[in-house]
mmCIF file of all heavy atoms in Angstrom:
data_model
loop_
_atom_site.group_PDB
_atom_site.id
_atom_site.type_symbol
_atom_site.label_atom_id
_atom_site.label_comp_id
_atom_site.label_asym_id
_atom_site.label_seq_id
_atom_site.Cartn_x
_atom_site.Cartn_y
_atom_site.Cartn_z
ATOM 1 N N ALA A 56 2.245 -59.129 75.537
ATOM 2 C CA ALA A 56 1.149 -59.350 76.486
ATOM 3 C C ALA A 56 0.704 -58.034 77.103
ATOM 4 O O ALA A 56 -0.501 -57.788 77.270
ATOM 5 C CB ALA A 56 1.595 -60.327 77.574
ATOM 6 N N ASP A 57 1.644 -57.164 77.441
ATOM 7 C CA ASP A 57 1.285 -55.871 78.019
ATOM 8 C C ASP A 57 0.499 -55.021 77.023
ATOM 9 O O ASP A 57 -0.468 -54.327 77.386
ATOM 10 C CB ASP A 57 2.548 -55.122 78.457
ATOM 11 C CG ASP A 57 3.224 -55.802 79.640
ATOM 12 O OD1 ASP A 57 2.539 -56.593 80.320
ATOM 13 O OD2 ASP A 57 4.415 -55.543 79.867
ATOM 14 N N PHE A 58 0.914 -55.091 75.754
ATOM 15 C CA PHE A 58 0.208 -54.304 74.744
ATOM 16 C C PHE A 58 -1.221 -54.813 74.559
ATOM 17 O O PHE A 58 -2.164 -54.020 74.431
ATOM 18 C CB PHE A 58 0.964 -54.358 73.423
ATOM 19 C CG PHE A 58 0.276 -53.623 72.311
ATOM 20 C CD1 PHE A 58 0.276 -52.234 72.271
ATOM 21 C CD2 PHE A 58 -0.402 -54.306 71.305
ATOM 22 C CE1 PHE A 58 -0.377 -51.548 71.252
ATOM 23 C CE2 PHE A 58 -1.040 -53.630 70.287
ATOM 24 C CZ PHE A 58 -1.031 -52.240 70.254
ATOM 25 N N ARG A 59 -1.391 -56.141 74.565
ATOM 26 C CA ARG A 59 -2.741 -56.689 74.423
ATOM 27 C C ARG A 59 -3.630 -56.276 75.601
ATOM 28 O O ARG A 59 -4.822 -55.981 75.432
ATOM 29 C CB ARG A 59 -2.669 -58.215 74.328
ATOM 30 C CG ARG A 59 -2.163 -58.721 72.987
ATOM 31 C CD ARG A 59 -2.430 -60.218 72.830
ATOM 32 N NE ARG A 59 -1.753 -61.004 73.848
ATOM 33 C CZ ARG A 59 -0.537 -61.496 73.708
ATOM 34 N NH1 ARG A 59 0.152 -61.265 72.592
ATOM 35 N NH2 ARG A 59 0.007 -62.212 74.670
ATOM 36 N N LYS A 60 -3.048 -56.256 76.819
ATOM 37 C CA LYS A 60 -3.815 -55.858 78.004
ATOM 38 C C LYS A 60 -4.261 -54.404 77.899
ATOM 39 O O LYS A 60 -5.438 -54.074 78.195
ATOM 40 C CB LYS A 60 -2.953 -56.075 79.252
ATOM 41 C CG LYS A 60 -3.673 -55.736 80.541
ATOM 42 C CD LYS A 60 -2.820 -56.102 81.754
ATOM 43 C CE LYS A 60 -1.605 -55.194 81.851
ATOM 44 N NZ LYS A 60 -0.846 -55.422 83.109
ATOM 45 N N VAL A 61 -3.370 -53.537 77.456
ATOM 46 C CA VAL A 61 -3.714 -52.121 77.321
ATOM 47 C C VAL A 61 -4.760 -51.922 76.228
ATOM 48 O O VAL A 61 -5.721 -51.147 76.377
ATOM 49 C CB VAL A 61 -2.439 -51.299 77.017
ATOM 50 C CG1 VAL A 61 -2.807 -49.867 76.640
ATOM 51 C CG2 VAL A 61 -1.504 -51.312 78.217
ATOM 52 N N ARG A 62 -4.579 -52.647 75.108
ATOM 53 C CA ARG A 62 -5.550 -52.493 74.012
ATOM 54 C C ARG A 62 -6.930 -53.010 74.415
ATOM 55 O O ARG A 62 -7.955 -52.412 74.078
ATOM 56 C CB ARG A 62 -5.035 -53.259 72.791
ATOM 57 C CG ARG A 62 -5.926 -53.091 71.558
ATOM 58 C CD ARG A 62 -5.321 -53.822 70.383
ATOM 59 N NE ARG A 62 -5.202 -55.251 70.681
ATOM 60 C CZ ARG A 62 -4.576 -56.120 69.870
ATOM 61 N NH1 ARG A 62 -4.006 -55.697 68.756
ATOM 62 N NH2 ARG A 62 -4.512 -57.392 70.200
ATOM 63 N N GLU A 63 -6.972 -54.129 75.161
ATOM 64 C CA GLU A 63 -8.253 -54.675 75.620
ATOM 65 C C GLU A 63 -8.966 -53.678 76.547
ATOM 66 O O GLU A 63 -10.189 -53.477 76.440
ATOM 67 C CB GLU A 63 -8.019 -56.001 76.354
ATOM 68 C CG GLU A 63 -9.304 -56.646 76.864
ATOM 69 C CD GLU A 63 -9.017 -57.932 77.616
ATOM 70 O OE1 GLU A 63 -7.876 -58.460 77.516
ATOM 71 O OE2 GLU A 63 -9.920 -58.420 78.334
ATOM 72 N N ALA A 64 -8.201 -53.045 77.455
ATOM 73 C CA ALA A 64 -8.803 -52.064 78.364
ATOM 74 C C ALA A 64 -9.360 -50.881 77.580
ATOM 75 O O ALA A 64 -10.472 -50.388 77.862
ATOM 76 C CB ALA A 64 -7.754 -51.605 79.376
ATOM 77 N N TYR A 65 -8.606 -50.417 76.586
ATOM 78 C CA TYR A 65 -9.075 -49.257 75.809
ATOM 79 C C TYR A 65 -10.307 -49.619 74.992
ATOM 80 O O TYR A 65 -11.247 -48.806 74.874
ATOM 81 C CB TYR A 65 -7.959 -48.773 74.902
ATOM 82 C CG TYR A 65 -8.384 -47.623 74.018
ATOM 83 C CD1 TYR A 65 -8.624 -46.357 74.564
ATOM 84 C CD2 TYR A 65 -8.582 -47.799 72.657
ATOM 85 C CE1 TYR A 65 -9.040 -45.312 73.764
ATOM 86 C CE2 TYR A 65 -8.997 -46.758 71.849
ATOM 87 C CZ TYR A 65 -9.223 -45.509 72.408
ATOM 88 O OH TYR A 65 -9.635 -44.471 71.611
ATOM 89 N N GLU A 66 -10.328 -50.827 74.408
ATOM 90 C CA GLU A 66 -11.490 -51.228 73.602
ATOM 91 C C GLU A 66 -12.765 -51.265 74.433
ATOM 92 O O GLU A 66 -13.849 -50.954 73.933
ATOM 93 C CB GLU A 66 -11.227 -52.599 72.974
ATOM 94 C CG GLU A 66 -10.198 -52.572 71.853
ATOM 95 C CD GLU A 66 -9.892 -53.963 71.318
ATOM 96 O OE1 GLU A 66 -10.366 -54.945 71.931
ATOM 97 O OE2 GLU A 66 -9.157 -54.071 70.320
ATOM 98 N N CYS A 67 -12.638 -51.629 75.692
ATOM 99 C CA CYS A 67 -13.814 -51.668 76.565
ATOM 100 C C CYS A 67 -14.226 -50.260 77.012
ATOM 101 O O CYS A 67 -15.398 -49.874 76.901
ATOM 102 C CB CYS A 67 -13.551 -52.558 77.772
ATOM 103 S SG CYS A 67 -14.912 -52.601 78.977
ATOM 104 N N LEU A 68 -13.237 -49.490 77.498
ATOM 105 C CA LEU A 68 -13.578 -48.192 78.086
ATOM 106 C C LEU A 68 -13.840 -47.114 77.046
ATOM 107 O O LEU A 68 -14.448 -46.084 77.367
ATOM 108 C CB LEU A 68 -12.453 -47.738 79.030
ATOM 109 C CG LEU A 68 -12.163 -48.662 80.212
ATOM 110 C CD1 LEU A 68 -11.063 -48.079 81.092
ATOM 111 C CD2 LEU A 68 -13.436 -48.912 81.034
ATOM 112 N N SER A 69 -13.387 -47.307 75.814
ATOM 113 C CA SER A 69 -13.663 -46.304 74.782
ATOM 114 C C SER A 69 -15.047 -46.480 74.155
ATOM 115 O O SER A 69 -15.542 -45.574 73.473
ATOM 116 C CB SER A 69 -12.590 -46.387 73.685
ATOM 117 O OG SER A 69 -12.638 -47.671 73.055
ATOM 118 N N ASP A 70 -15.662 -47.625 74.412
ATOM 119 C CA ASP A 70 -17.014 -47.875 73.906
ATOM 120 C C ASP A 70 -17.996 -47.539 75.032
ATOM 121 O O ASP A 70 -17.985 -48.154 76.094
ATOM 122 C CB ASP A 70 -17.156 -49.347 73.512
ATOM 123 C CG ASP A 70 -18.471 -49.624 72.821
ATOM 124 O OD1 ASP A 70 -19.523 -49.168 73.324
ATOM 125 O OD2 ASP A 70 -18.453 -50.325 71.789
ATOM 126 N N PRO A 71 -18.876 -46.533 74.822
ATOM 127 C CA PRO A 71 -19.776 -46.107 75.905
ATOM 128 C C PRO A 71 -20.639 -47.241 76.445
ATOM 129 O O PRO A 71 -20.826 -47.356 77.669
ATOM 130 C CB PRO A 71 -20.634 -45.017 75.249
ATOM 131 C CG PRO A 71 -19.770 -44.493 74.141
ATOM 132 C CD PRO A 71 -19.000 -45.683 73.634
ATOM 133 N N LYS A 72 -21.182 -48.097 75.577
ATOM 134 C CA LYS A 72 -22.047 -49.188 76.039
ATOM 135 C C LYS A 72 -21.242 -50.204 76.856
ATOM 136 O O LYS A 72 -21.680 -50.638 77.925
ATOM 137 C CB LYS A 72 -22.717 -49.864 74.853
ATOM 138 C CG LYS A 72 -23.735 -48.981 74.147
ATOM 139 C CD LYS A 72 -24.409 -49.738 73.006
ATOM 140 C CE LYS A 72 -25.449 -48.864 72.308
ATOM 141 N NZ LYS A 72 -26.133 -49.587 71.208
ATOM 142 N N LYS A 73 -20.079 -50.588 76.317
ATOM 143 C CA LYS A 73 -19.267 -51.549 77.052
ATOM 144 C C LYS A 73 -18.807 -50.960 78.383
ATOM 145 O O LYS A 73 -18.758 -51.661 79.397
ATOM 146 C CB LYS A 73 -18.050 -51.952 76.219
ATOM 147 C CG LYS A 73 -18.387 -52.784 75.003
ATOM 148 C CD LYS A 73 -17.115 -53.150 74.239
ATOM 149 C CE LYS A 73 -17.430 -54.002 73.007
ATOM 150 N NZ LYS A 73 -16.203 -54.367 72.261
ATOM 151 N N ARG A 74 -18.466 -49.674 78.382
ATOM 152 C CA ARG A 74 -18.004 -49.044 79.624
ATOM 153 C C ARG A 74 -19.124 -48.978 80.646
ATOM 154 O O ARG A 74 -18.888 -49.232 81.837
ATOM 155 C CB ARG A 74 -17.475 -47.643 79.332
ATOM 156 C CG ARG A 74 -16.928 -46.942 80.573
ATOM 157 C CD ARG A 74 -16.356 -45.585 80.266
ATOM 158 N NE ARG A 74 -15.827 -44.953 81.477
ATOM 159 C CZ ARG A 74 -15.276 -43.747 81.506
ATOM 160 N NH1 ARG A 74 -15.167 -43.028 80.378
ATOM 161 N NH2 ARG A 74 -14.824 -43.251 82.660
ATOM 162 N N ALA A 75 -20.336 -48.686 80.191
ATOM 163 C CA ALA A 75 -21.468 -48.606 81.116
ATOM 164 C C ALA A 75 -21.736 -49.967 81.748
ATOM 165 O O ALA A 75 -21.969 -50.072 82.964
ATOM 166 C CB ALA A 75 -22.712 -48.096 80.393
ATOM 167 N N SER A 76 -21.694 -51.014 80.905
ATOM 168 C CA SER A 76 -21.904 -52.361 81.436
ATOM 169 C C SER A 76 -20.782 -52.746 82.401
ATOM 170 O O SER A 76 -21.020 -53.374 83.434
ATOM 171 C CB SER A 76 -21.976 -53.358 80.272
ATOM 172 O OG SER A 76 -22.091 -54.677 80.758
ATOM 173 N N TYR A 77 -19.566 -52.351 82.050
ATOM 174 C CA TYR A 77 -18.412 -52.674 82.903
ATOM 175 C C TYR A 77 -18.495 -51.914 84.217
ATOM 176 O O TYR A 77 -18.192 -52.462 85.286
ATOM 177 C CB TYR A 77 -17.117 -52.314 82.158
ATOM 178 C CG TYR A 77 -15.853 -52.612 82.936
ATOM 179 C CD1 TYR A 77 -15.372 -53.901 83.031
ATOM 180 C CD2 TYR A 77 -15.161 -51.581 83.580
ATOM 181 C CE1 TYR A 77 -14.213 -54.171 83.741
ATOM 182 C CE2 TYR A 77 -14.008 -51.833 84.299
ATOM 183 C CZ TYR A 77 -13.529 -53.129 84.369
ATOM 184 O OH TYR A 77 -12.383 -53.408 85.082
ATOM 185 N N ASP A 78 -18.942 -50.629 84.179
ATOM 186 C CA ASP A 78 -19.015 -49.820 85.401
ATOM 187 C C ASP A 78 -20.032 -50.382 86.392
ATOM 188 O O ASP A 78 -19.893 -50.207 87.613
ATOM 189 C CB ASP A 78 -19.386 -48.377 85.047
ATOM 190 C CG ASP A 78 -18.198 -47.621 84.454
ATOM 191 O OD1 ASP A 78 -17.053 -48.133 84.585
ATOM 192 O OD2 ASP A 78 -18.397 -46.551 83.865
ATOM 193 N N GLU A 79 -21.093 -51.045 85.854
ATOM 194 C CA GLU A 79 -22.085 -51.631 86.748
ATOM 195 C C GLU A 79 -21.452 -52.721 87.620
ATOM 196 O O GLU A 79 -21.878 -52.938 88.751
ATOM 197 C CB GLU A 79 -23.247 -52.213 85.939
ATOM 198 C CG GLU A 79 -24.112 -51.150 85.269
ATOM 199 C CD GLU A 79 -25.223 -51.764 84.428
ATOM 200 O OE1 GLU A 79 -25.259 -53.029 84.358
ATOM 201 O OE2 GLU A 79 -26.022 -51.027 83.852
ATOM 202 N N ARG A 80 -20.453 -53.387 87.079
ATOM 203 C CA ARG A 80 -19.805 -54.482 87.826
ATOM 204 C C ARG A 80 -18.473 -54.057 88.430
ATOM 205 O O ARG A 80 -17.804 -54.856 89.083
ATOM 206 C CB ARG A 80 -19.562 -55.663 86.880
ATOM 207 C CG ARG A 80 -20.833 -56.233 86.293
ATOM 208 C CD ARG A 80 -20.539 -57.374 85.303
ATOM 209 N NE ARG A 80 -19.882 -56.897 84.119
ATOM 210 C CZ ARG A 80 -18.666 -57.269 83.712
ATOM 211 N NH1 ARG A 80 -17.967 -58.116 84.423
ATOM 212 N NH2 ARG A 80 -18.157 -56.771 82.595
ATOM 213 N N TYR A 81 -18.089 -52.813 88.210
ATOM 214 C CA TYR A 81 -16.727 -52.423 88.595
ATOM 215 C C TYR A 81 -16.491 -52.436 90.099
ATOM 216 O O TYR A 81 -15.386 -52.718 90.559
ATOM 217 C CB TYR A 81 -16.394 -51.037 88.029
ATOM 218 C CG TYR A 81 -14.955 -50.643 88.296
ATOM 219 C CD1 TYR A 81 -13.911 -51.371 87.740
ATOM 220 C CD2 TYR A 81 -14.640 -49.569 89.141
ATOM 221 C CE1 TYR A 81 -12.596 -51.031 87.994
ATOM 222 C CE2 TYR A 81 -13.322 -49.221 89.397
ATOM 223 C CZ TYR A 81 -12.296 -49.961 88.814
ATOM 224 O OH TYR A 81 -10.994 -49.638 89.079
ATOM 225 N N LEU A 82 -17.546 -52.160 90.884
ATOM 226 C CA LEU A 82 -17.353 -52.159 92.331
ATOM 227 C C LEU A 82 -16.878 -53.526 92.806
ATOM 228 O O LEU A 82 -15.961 -53.635 93.631
ATOM 229 C CB LEU A 82 -18.671 -51.762 93.021
ATOM 230 C CG LEU A 82 -18.601 -51.688 94.560
ATOM 231 C CD1 LEU A 82 -17.641 -50.592 94.996
ATOM 232 C CD2 LEU A 82 -20.004 -51.414 95.121
ATOM 233 N N TYR A 83 -17.505 -54.588 92.265
ATOM 234 C CA TYR A 83 -17.104 -55.951 92.648
ATOM 235 C C TYR A 83 -15.740 -56.312 92.051
ATOM 236 O O TYR A 83 -14.929 -56.983 92.698
ATOM 237 C CB TYR A 83 -18.177 -56.941 92.180
ATOM 238 C CG TYR A 83 -19.536 -56.672 92.771
ATOM 239 C CD1 TYR A 83 -20.528 -56.024 92.031
ATOM 240 C CD2 TYR A 83 -19.830 -57.050 94.091
ATOM 241 C CE1 TYR A 83 -21.771 -55.760 92.568
ATOM 242 C CE2 TYR A 83 -21.085 -56.782 94.635
ATOM 243 C CZ TYR A 83 -22.041 -56.150 93.877
ATOM 244 O OH TYR A 83 -23.266 -55.886 94.422
ATOM 245 N N ILE A 84 -15.526 -55.857 90.807
ATOM 246 C CA ILE A 84 -14.223 -56.129 90.162
ATOM 247 C C ILE A 84 -13.093 -55.469 90.939
ATOM 248 O O ILE A 84 -12.055 -56.080 91.220
ATOM 249 C CB ILE A 84 -14.244 -55.630 88.707
ATOM 250 C CG1 ILE A 84 -15.269 -56.426 87.889
ATOM 251 C CG2 ILE A 84 -12.852 -55.720 88.085
ATOM 252 C CD1 ILE A 84 -15.511 -55.869 86.490
#
Side-chain angles (χ1 to χ4, degrees):
D57 292 341
F58 178 74
R59 286 194 299 270
K60 182 174 69 173
V61 170
R62 184 177 60 187
E63 180 182 346
Y65 177 70
E66 288 176 352
C67 177
L68 299 182
S69 62
D70 187 313
K72 292 182 179 181
K73 291 180 180 180
R74 182 178 181 181
S76 176
Y77 180 78
D78 284 346
E79 290 178 358
R80 299 177 292 119
Y81 185 64
L82 181 64
Y83 300 101
I84 295 171

